[in-house]
Amino acid sequence: MPTIKTNGINMYYEERGSGEPLLLIMGITAPGSVWNVHVADWKQHFRCIIGDNRGVGQTDKPAGAYTSEQMADDYAGLLDSLELENVHVVGCSMGSTIAQQLAIRHPKKVRSLVLMCPWARCDAYAKGLFQHIMNSKARFRPEEFSLYIQLLIFSKASWDDPKQHEELELGRKQDAVNPFPQPLHGLEGQAAACINHNALADLGKIEKPTLVIGGKEDIFTPVWMAQEVANGIPNAELFLYEKLGHAFHFENTDDFNLRVRDFLSRTH
């Protein structure tokens, strides 16, 4: 499988589909394979480029704090290696902070942005939450840590639905036998990037069509964060799902896939 050298690391990525290039950037703890339920749709319309972020999956996991700027430069190097400019970018959670920095630092590389459950800066509560994620990772078995993350990102509606509840349990069992488990130092590096991300003053520089999208019951990155990002980017669109949480894109996948595809089709 392809690995390229970028910004001092070996970065693992995959490509699926054909058409206009679409770069997908996942969130904290998550490898690129988490995009699979969306790529199944989008690959029929776009050339999907899916990377493992610095610190997770099959990409290098150097020790020490990472930054959202540094991780944006990782992806800029990936695009350079693929000789691509002017790509659509979808970023989820931490991936949205990386996408913001990519648009700010490398504007020619970005055609449009979809920022899922984003933030422009962390308040004290968010910083405490990321610290607790690190503490939990250090102390929990993988399936216990998976349960904590699920409690953060899935809404009451998912926990109350028997089929969804069963799928959450299956996900925890799979995490217990993950062949590429994220080491603690990889999570700590990513958490530092999340905590220290502050693009609020620079959001006005983003002059690309932007969709900010989230869930109204998100307890991980609350609604005010999405609103602050949308208000900071000129002409950004904002859409918030009723009764869904941080994992709204898994909780209503069909609508999300189509909504993003329709938005991207308007930015040709």
Side-chain angles (χ1 to χ4, degrees):
M1 291 295 182
T3 301
I4 60 104
K5 191 84 172 180
T6 173
N7 200 23
I9 61 167
N10 294 298
M11 186 176 201
Y12 175 85
Y13 74 98
E14 296 182 4
E15 291 193 55
R16 288 182 221 148
S18 60
E20 294 181 356
L22 171 60
L23 177 65
L24 304 174
I25 311 176
M26 194 28 80
I28 190 168
T29 78
S33 59
V34 175
W35 287 110
N36 283 351
V37 294
H38 311 306
V39 170
D41 178 329
W42 296 341
K43 71 181 181 181
Q44 300 172 57
H45 310 274
F46 300 97
R47 174 187 174 185
C48 297
I49 301 152
I50 312 126
D52 282 351
N53 292 324
R54 174 185 293 255
V56 78
Q58 298 178 68
T59 291
D60 285 351
K61 307 164 188 69
Y66 311 158
T67 69
S68 55
E69 294 93 335
Q70 176 188 44
M71 297 173 86
D73 291 349
D74 294 344
Y75 279 97
L78 171 61
L79 294 175
D80 284 343
S81 75
L82 297 174
E83 299 182 346
L84 288 173
E85 281 207 353
N86 207 26
V87 304
H88 302 290
V89 182
V90 180
C92 180
S93 195
M94 181 185 75
S96 81
T97 72
I98 298 168
Q100 290 166 47
Q101 297 289 8
L102 188 63
I104 291 164
R105 295 167 68 81
H106 307 277
K108 290 183 179 179
K109 296 188 183 303
V110 176
R111 176 178 297 193
S112 67
L113 285 172
V114 178
L115 302 177
M116 302 163 56
C117 37
W119 64 96
R121 62 183 173 94
C122 280
D123 62 356
Y125 177 85
K127 291 177 182 179
L129 196 53
F130 283 116
Q131 183 60 55
H132 190 56
I133 288 173
M134 289 186 274
N135 296 347
S136 300
K137 174 75 170 178
R139 291 163 177 80
F140 288 171
R141 296 196 304 267
E143 61 272 29
E144 295 171 336
F145 181 68
S146 179
L147 173 59
Y148 172 55
I149 297 298
Q150 289 176 345
L151 288 166
L152 279 180
I153 68 175
F154 286 94
S155 67
K156 174 176 166 54
S158 289
W159 288 96
D160 287 347
D161 180 85
K163 185 173 183 296
Q164 285 266 59
H165 193 270
E166 192 175 303
E167 289 175 0
L168 291 173
E169 184 177 5
L170 177 61
R172 295 194 296 275
K173 290 178 179 177
Q174 290 171 338
D175 283 344
V177 293
N178 182 355
F180 301 104
Q182 184 179 37
L184 177 59
H185 72 265
L187 173 64
E188 289 173 337
Q190 291 187 345
C194 292
I195 289 168
N196 296 314
H197 173 73
N198 191 335
L200 190 60
D202 292 321
L203 291 180
K205 298 176 182 176
I206 298 176
E207 298 177 341
K208 311 294 179 178
T210 301
L211 171 64
V212 177
I213 188 166
K216 287 189 176 179
E217 293 192 10
D218 191 339
I219 61 170
F220 189 0
T221 56
V223 166
W224 73 263
M225 288 181 158
Q227 291 171 333
E228 188 169 72
V229 171
N231 291 338
I233 298 175
N235 302 311
E237 299 178 28
L238 174 64
F239 181 82
L240 299 172
Y241 285 96
E242 299 286 345
K243 297 183 178 179
L244 300 186
H246 195 73
F248 62 89
H249 51 109
F250 296 136
E251 297 180 309
N252 194 347
T253 301
D254 290 345
D255 182 88
F256 170 75
N257 286 349
L258 179 59
R259 191 174 295 274
V260 169
R261 183 151 42 87
D262 285 350
F263 172 77
L264 296 178
S265 71
R266 290 189 275 117
T267 64
H268 284 196

